[in-house]
């Protein structure tokens, strides 16, 4: 898999790679789900999971690298927040696909309509 | 990463794992982009890529396993089509996150409004 490159176009692609990769794991999706309800500390996030803390924080690091979450440390407590911008980027990519797909279905509808009219 | 399990709930999660994983590669996303414009054969899909055919067909297999594309062989030619249902599932997952996120922003708006009113 290509990693972040220097040029602007490659950068966007590489970022989407990281975002989709981060979301391909159920633990990480559940963390995103939890954070969409509001900020939470590491231990609040880890609570529901039967997982060693180092493995869990590794998941948090993957989310942070992909830009999906940000974190802030106060004393010994680290608090995580959702950064919705990468989710918007996924959404934009999906919307582009849907636009083309829908246009194709519309063209198919039109074709079927014409065929039906010709048979009248 | 957990693979497909037998129970219904696990199944949905595992499928989203595969879909997000499939979309985490730029070559595979470009294939999905191309197929959202209409069906295409293996060689039509491979055309724009400077990649050995076995590597390229491996990408097609990942997309097919994730349910993002279907294929049909006629003679020696295999034609691929986009299967939009998994993209809809990604969309549904994102929409769930956005609903919660937007509600939180609304609550924040309301709170800021109340604070402003109190200062009048």
């Amino acid at each position: 898999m290509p990693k972040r490159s220097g040029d602007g176009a490659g950068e966007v692609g590489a970022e989407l790679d990281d975002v989709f990769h981060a979301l391909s794991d159920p633990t990480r999706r559940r963390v995103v789900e939890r954070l969409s309800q509001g900020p939470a500390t590491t231990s609040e996030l880890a609570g529901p999971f039967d997982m060693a803390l180092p493995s869990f924080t590794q998941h948090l690091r993957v989310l942070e690298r992909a830009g999906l979450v940000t974190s802030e440390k106060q004393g010994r407590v680290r608090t995580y927040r959702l950064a919705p911008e990468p989710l918007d980027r996924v959404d934009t990519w999906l919307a582009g696909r849907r636009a083309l797909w829908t246009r194709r279905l519309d063209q198919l509808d039109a074709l079927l309509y014409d065929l039906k009219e010709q048979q009248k």
Side-chain angles (χ1 to χ4, degrees), chain A:
Chain A
M1 203 195 309
K3 292 321 289 173
R4 295 179 189 289
S5 66
D7 64 303
E11 197 78 28
V12 171
E15 284 172 20
L16 262 186
D17 289 2
D18 290 346
V19 176
F20 277 120
H21 169 68
L23 295 175
S24 71
D25 177 272
T27 300
R28 294 195 292 261
R29 283 200 304 279
R30 277 180 66 193
V31 169
V32 170
E33 287 163 15
R34 168 62 189 82
L35 291 177
S36 66
Q37 299 176 36
T41 65
T42 310
S43 57
E44 283 168 346
L45 290 172
F49 297 99
D50 183 21
M51 193 182 287
L53 198 61
S55 308
F56 186 74
T57 54
Q58 179 56 35
H59 283 305
L60 293 177
R61 270 195 291 273
V62 173
L63 287 168
E64 202 159 12
R65 265 205 305 272
L68 281 160
V69 307
T70 60
S71 75
E72 216 177 343
K73 204 169 184 177
Q74 265 203 323
R76 293 177 58 197
V77 177
R78 187 173 284 279
T79 302
Y80 286 84
R81 271 162 226 281
L82 190 67
E85 198 269 331
L87 291 181
D88 286 346
R89 227 175 312 137
V90 169
D91 215 32
T92 303
W93 187 82
L94 281 176
R97 309 293 65 72
R98 183 168 320 100
L100 284 167
W101 175 258
T102 309
R103 200 187 310 156
R104 285 222 313 124
L105 288 182
D106 287 349
Q107 286 169 350
L108 200 62
D109 269 355
L111 188 69
L112 288 173
Y113 181 81
D114 287 350
L115 285 172
K116 254 173 133 176
E117 287 295 304
Q118 284 171 19
Q119 288 178 340
K120 271 186 185 168

